[in-house]
Amino acid sequence: MAGTAYGELLDAVRGIRWPARAPVRAALSGTHQSRQRGTSAEFNEYRLYRQGDDTRRIDWRLLARSDRAYIRLATDRTVLPTLLAVDGSASMDFPRGAGSKWDFARSIAVGLAGVAHAQGDPVGLVVAAKGRVELEPRSRRSVVWEIGRALSDVEPGGTAAVAELLKGRSLPPRLVVFSDLLGDLGSLYQVLRAHTAAIGEAYVVHILSPLELDPPERTVLAVDPEDDRLRRPLTVQSRGAYLEAFARWREEAALGCRSSGATYLTATTDERPDRTVRRIAGGDR
Amino acid sequence: VSWLAPWALALGAAGMVAAVVAHLLARATPEPMAFPTARFIPMSAASATRAARRPTDLLLLALRIIAIAMIAGAFAGPIIEPRVRGNALVVIVDRSGSVADSAEVGDSLASLTSERGIPVSVVEMTTGATSALIAARREAARLSAEADSAELVIVSAFDSSMIDVATAAVRREWRGAARLVRVGARPTGTVGVIIDASSMADDDPLLATIRLGGWSGNAGAPRTGRGVKVVRTNTISSADSASAEGGATVVHWPATTAEQSRAARPRSAVAGTLVLPLLADTTSVAAGDRVVARWENGAAAASVAQAGEGCIVDVGIRPVMSGDAPLREDFRELLAVLAEACRPQFALGALDSAALAMLSGEGGSAPLGSMRTAGAATERISAWLLLAAIAALLVEMVVRRRVAA
């Protein structure tokens, strides 16, 4: 089912490369440049032999010609385990039904999972919703299907925060957060700072609805889906102030995420998911 | 039901219309919509003005309209009028001295009240029509509990002395016609009066006046049975006093006073009192019980003192002893007034047609609703209406809170 639902998207994102933003500290052979210089065939440079270096890596031919001991350095390729963290709180279920922020977030999560898996990276999933969903990063063939199925089974709701789900757990080098950021931003910044400080890379994909960016001009009583007590009339008079406050908050959120070392991207639900995936993989800010 | 202040009903109607319009345009709670970024909307009351497509909260609207209607009704002063109960009769009967025979008044009153079985109220007129009309209006207000209209009947001799400057205004307060029933008036002048001039000197000029007036000797028997005696001495004898006690009119007109250069001719009459032109050597008399003639400066020229059944008229007017003054008509009139002074009021003649038309008025029976005073019943109804309005407002408050919740 998941494969059928996301098949078109996965076809569209096939061939997209999602390179690591920095050399990766990992041992397994993969497609990403490793921070380790190894013995692979991909020669990089020579370096003078230093005591302690493996003598097997000395280029004996160069030693014979130059009477100096050099060792060959080659770039290792490794895998980049990736964790997709999707916000499944009640605020993501907007507008209700098809075309919601939740629908869009899970589509691009599956698309990114397909991209990562295609280049051999283990992919995992955590979802902060009514019921917690956690899939450790795996490289097996069915992992994209499993992620798609898990996301399809989740019903958004509640007030669970992604940051709380990520806190205290061992995170893989690459972390992608799909959220509307309406939860506890301070906690998220902490998680991001801790992750990026530990040579990981993080992406924050800010999911927005066009209705939030351009609310209806008729008078409505806006009710926060995560806090029923928060009710405010959205009128023609208050609309301008709302737009201004919302834009200011988005700027602050972008600044906070970037200050925390994460790559911040916004994505609106009226965008094609494969294009969003392409933007994320390409590091488009 | 009639209203003391109908304008309050108009205000209430306007208020009800305003309430309906305000209800439709009022600060209705707009349609709720889940909106994740609601926190960025500025703080304000969770309601906004919008025009309702169809009326909602009809119970609230009804309670508000009821409250406004009750308040308007209370301020309008409702008067619940009883069902039609027919006509009443208010009779003003003349008990003044201008009526010749009080028995005739009684007969007229009896004929008026016996011919119909309706509420009747009788007002006695003793001092004038003004006070009698005021009393009649008061009686009409009292009769309003028993009838819805009243007919006014005035039984009187319609002497001109019954009206004064305020009568017309008071009469207009009675919004209906009056039926005028005329009874015989006391004769004006001194017809039938016999003046005893036995104590007068033969050359007394007053004697000529008495004879010319036809008041001496057996000129005719007085209807009242009371005679008039003119005393020309400076003091009144005990016999004269006894005559007065017996019912006679003793005119004490001393003859020893100095002569005057001209006669004191009466100029006008105000409220039954002659006013005489001021003379150079005017002599005043004590005011007595009633003054019948005054000098222009207000001093009493002739006064009446009641003495038993009759009275003593003390006169300070000095008649000329020569010339034609005692023979003139105005002097005879003066003497006639003095001779008639014992009567409560001397007659000035019958009312003219304009005055009678004023008393008669126009229309039919007067509606008593307009004369009814806003009494305790109206206040009670208003109080109940206000209580009902307060109750409606309390219920409205409860309902509004429930709706808001």
Side-chain angles (χ1 to χ4, degrees):
Chain A
M1 175 183 166
T4 308
Y6 300 112
E8 192 177 339
L9 172 64
L10 291 173
D11 285 342
V13 300
R14 185 169 296 139
I16 294 177
R17 308 232 5 117
W18 188 13
R21 289 160 55 196
V24 181
R25 180 186 294 170
L28 293 174
S29 176
T31 59
H32 303 282
Q33 184 180 359
S34 172
R35 298 187 68 182
Q36 294 179 353
R37 301 291 175 86
T39 56
S40 69
E42 190 176 343
F43 170 74
N44 191 359
E45 63 180 336
Y46 287 109
R47 179 172 61 78
L48 276 173
Y49 174 79
R50 290 195 297 250
Q51 189 175 1
D53 286 340
D54 188 356
T55 53
R56 289 176 298 180
R57 294 172 65 187
I58 293 175
D59 191 331
W60 296 106
R61 291 181 183 174
L62 187 60
L63 176 61
R65 286 200 300 271
S66 64
D67 199 21
R68 290 183 180 180
Y70 287 91
I71 62 172
R72 289 175 64 93
L73 292 179
T75 301
D76 276 354
R77 293 286 166 179
T78 186
V79 293
L80 182 59
T82 301
L83 181 66
L84 306 173
V86 185
D87 181 0
S89 62
S91 64
M92 290 290 285
D93 189 17
F94 176 80
R96 286 186 180 278
S100 67
K101 292 192 287 186
W102 166 252
D103 269 355
F104 185 72
R106 67 183 178 181
S107 294
I108 56 177
V110 170
L112 278 177
V115 169
H117 181 261
Q119 56 193 26
D121 295 333
V123 186
L125 173 73
V126 291
V127 179
K130 285 180 186 171
R132 182 178 292 190
V133 175
E134 296 183 26
L135 295 176
E136 291 300 324
R138 295 280 187 270
S139 300
R140 60 192 177 206
R141 294 180 63 185
S142 63
V143 69
V144 176
W145 184 85
E146 288 172 6
I147 287 174
R149 178 177 178 178
L151 288 169
S152 297
D153 290 344
V154 170
E155 186 178 341
T159 58
V162 177
E164 296 302 320
L165 204 60
L166 299 176
K167 263 185 184 174
R169 86 181 266 136
S170 174
L171 297 176
R174 184 154 63 189
L175 172 67
V176 186
V177 176
F178 304 91
S179 173
D180 55 10
L181 304 182
L182 294 173
D184 186 359
L185 268 181
S187 297
L188 182 62
Y189 294 155
Q190 284 181 8
V191 170
L192 293 174
R193 276 196 292 270
H195 181 65
T196 53
I199 65 164
E201 62 181 69
Y203 293 82
V204 174
V205 182
H206 191 176
I207 311 295
L208 296 166
S209 166
L211 278 175
E212 293 171 336
L213 297 170
D214 185 19
E217 294 192 355
R218 63 192 166 91
T219 298
V220 294
L221 180 63
V223 182
D224 191 330
E226 294 185 18
D227 182 3
D228 192 45
R229 292 169 301 177
L230 202 159
R231 293 166 171 256
R232 293 178 188 175
L234 180 60
T235 63
V236 176
Q237 290 79 17
S238 63
R239 192 170 181 274
Y242 160 78
L243 292 175
E244 189 179 337
F246 189 39
R248 191 166 55 245
W249 174 80
R250 290 201 311 273
E251 288 175 8
E252 291 170 359
L255 183 62
C257 291
R258 287 169 181 150
S259 301
S260 303
T263 300
Y264 172 86
L265 302 99
T266 57
T268 52
T269 56
D270 56 351
E271 190 177 358
R272 273 174 47 186
D274 60 303
R275 289 192 177 174
T276 309
V277 170
R278 205 175 293 272
R279 282 202 297 121
I280 297 169
D284 180 15
R285 298 189 175 203
Chain B
V1 176
S2 59
W3 308 89
L4 286 178
W7 53 266
L9 293 179
L11 279 182
M16 284 187 276
V17 171
V20 172
V21 173
H23 189 84
L24 294 177
L25 293 177
R27 295 170 63 82
T29 303
E31 172 192 359
M33 184 183 87
F35 200 67
T37 50
R39 69 188 69 172
F40 301 109
I41 299 170
M43 288 284 287
S44 63
S47 60
T49 303
R50 67 174 173 81
R53 287 175 187 164
R54 60 169 179 263
T56 57
D57 301 326
L58 291 177
L59 180 59
L60 274 178
L61 178 60
L63 286 169
R64 286 166 185 166
I65 287 178
I66 287 171
I68 293 172
M70 295 290 178
I71 292 171
F75 280 100
I79 301 170
I80 297 178
E81 293 184 349
R83 282 168 286 187
V84 176
R85 289 157 304 188
N87 209 4
L89 189 65
V90 177
V91 184
I92 296 175
V93 292
D94 192 347
R95 298 295 188 192
S96 69
S98 61
V99 176
D101 190 355
S102 59
E104 186 182 359
V105 175
D107 293 343
S108 299
L109 180 61
S111 67
L112 284 168
T113 56
S114 63
E115 64 186 13
R116 40 184 119 177
I118 58 174
V120 177
S121 183
V122 177
V123 176
E124 295 195 343
M125 177 169 65
T126 55
T127 56
T130 302
S131 57
L133 285 168
I134 292 171
R137 198 166 186 281
R138 193 161 53 238
E139 287 297 307
R142 187 180 61 77
L143 287 174
S144 64
E146 304 171 42
D148 54 358
S149 63
E151 181 187 6
L152 177 64
V153 180
I154 302 175
V155 180
S156 172
F158 298 105
D159 188 88
S160 60
S161 63
M162 70 181 289
I163 63 170
D164 54 35
V165 291
T167 305
V170 175
R171 172 62 185 86
R172 280 194 294 272
E173 293 295 314
W174 184 282
R175 297 177 184 175
R179 186 147 59 97
L180 307 182
V181 177
R182 186 183 291 275
V183 294
R186 183 184 293 271
T188 59
T190 53
V191 177
V193 170
I194 300 172
I195 298 179
D196 178 5
S198 56
S199 62
M200 299 173 66
D202 290 340
D203 58 348
D204 194 324
L206 274 181
L207 197 57
T209 307
I210 292 168
R211 286 172 179 165
L212 280 174
W215 301 316
S216 62
N218 297 319
R223 291 185 63 189
T224 58
R226 296 173 182 175
V228 177
K229 183 177 184 180
V230 176
V231 178
R232 299 288 281 168
T233 56
N234 287 334
T235 57
I236 297 175
S237 66
S238 57
D240 295 335
S241 297
S243 298
E245 293 284 339
T249 299
V250 176
V251 179
H252 179 218
W253 196 334
T256 55
T257 52
E259 290 186 3
Q260 292 177 185
S261 58
R262 56 190 172 92
R265 297 178 182 179
R267 180 175 286 177
S268 60
V270 176
T273 304
L274 285 175
V275 177
L276 305 174
L278 199 58
L279 302 176
D281 49 355
T282 294
T283 301
S284 299
V285 297
D289 293 338
R290 183 161 57 89
V291 175
V292 293
R294 290 185 185 277
W295 299 111
E296 280 183 336
N297 63 356
S303 66
V304 177
Q306 200 70 31
E309 295 293 316
C311 68
I312 297 172
V313 182
D314 196 11
V315 183
I317 305 166
R318 302 167 185 174
V320 292
M321 301 301 289
S322 59
D324 66 338
L327 307 179
R328 282 160 51 175
E329 179 66 23
D330 50 6
F331 199 86
R332 284 205 299 275
E333 287 177 5
L334 172 63
L335 183 58
V337 167
L338 297 175
E340 290 286 297
C342 274
R343 297 187 178 181
Q345 294 174 332
F346 67 89
L348 295 176
L351 283 176
D352 57 17
S353 58
L356 288 173
M358 179 271 290
L359 283 176
S360 178
E362 293 177 348
S365 298
L368 295 180
S370 59
M371 299 186 198
R372 186 180 296 125
T373 54
T378 297
E379 291 173 5
R380 277 198 301 272
I381 295 171
S382 295
W384 279 112
L385 286 173
L386 278 179
L387 277 176
I390 291 170
L393 288 175
L394 287 174
V395 174
E396 188 268 350
M397 189 172 67
V398 172
V399 173
R400 179 157 39 87
R401 287 189 177 177
R402 286 193 178 176
V403 169

